[in-house]
């Protein structure tokens, strides 16, 4: 399983989300770290080099190495790319 690290702003972003949705996001992220399965795709343009995990109406923007996932942002899909 890959280790999950969060950028300093991410815990506050997760706490601002309704609890049920936040738990679904964290479960999806944990599942991806364990199995590599999830609704993930590479981003381009301004966000090139990052990956996007889709969890309901929210998006998790992250990058990964062989043993670590670093989460940079968790936001509603409307605001995730702004």
């Amino acid at each position: 399983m890959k280790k999950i690290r969060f950028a300093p702003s991410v815990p506050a972003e997760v706490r601002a989300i309704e609890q049920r949705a936040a738990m679904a996001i964290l479960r999806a992220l944990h599942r991806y770290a364990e199995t590599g399965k999830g609704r993930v795709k590479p981003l381009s343009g301004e966000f090139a080099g990052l990956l996007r995990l889709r969890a309901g109406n929210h998006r998790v923007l992250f990058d990964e190495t062989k043993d670590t996932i670093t989460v940079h942002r968790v936001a509603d899909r409307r605001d995730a790319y702004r």
Side-chain angles (χ1 to χ4, degrees), residues 38-50:
R39 300 174 85 174
V40 175
K41 74 175 194 177
L43 298 175
S44 60
E46 179 182 345
F47 299 100
L50 293 179

Side-chain angles (χ1 to χ4, degrees), residues 15-79:
R15 281 192 299 271
I17 298 169
E18 189 263 325
Q19 185 178 6
R20 183 180 232 160
M23 291 304 294
I25 291 165
L26 295 176
R27 278 193 302 273
L29 186 58
H30 187 74
R31 185 179 72 233
Y32 180 74
E34 281 186 338
T35 66
K37 294 182 181 179
R39 300 174 85 174
V40 175
K41 74 175 194 177
L43 298 175
S44 60
E46 179 182 345
F47 299 100
L50 293 179
L51 298 167
R52 179 270 293 159
L53 171 67
R54 182 176 167 188
N57 284 336
H58 291 83
R59 304 297 183 260
V60 179
L61 304 182
F62 67 97
D63 61 23
E64 66 180 323
T65 62
K66 182 178 147 193
D67 58 351
T68 305
I69 293 173
T70 304
V71 178
H72 297 284
R73 185 161 191 203
V74 176
D76 187 274
R77 64 186 177 94
R78 292 173 292 173
D79 304 321

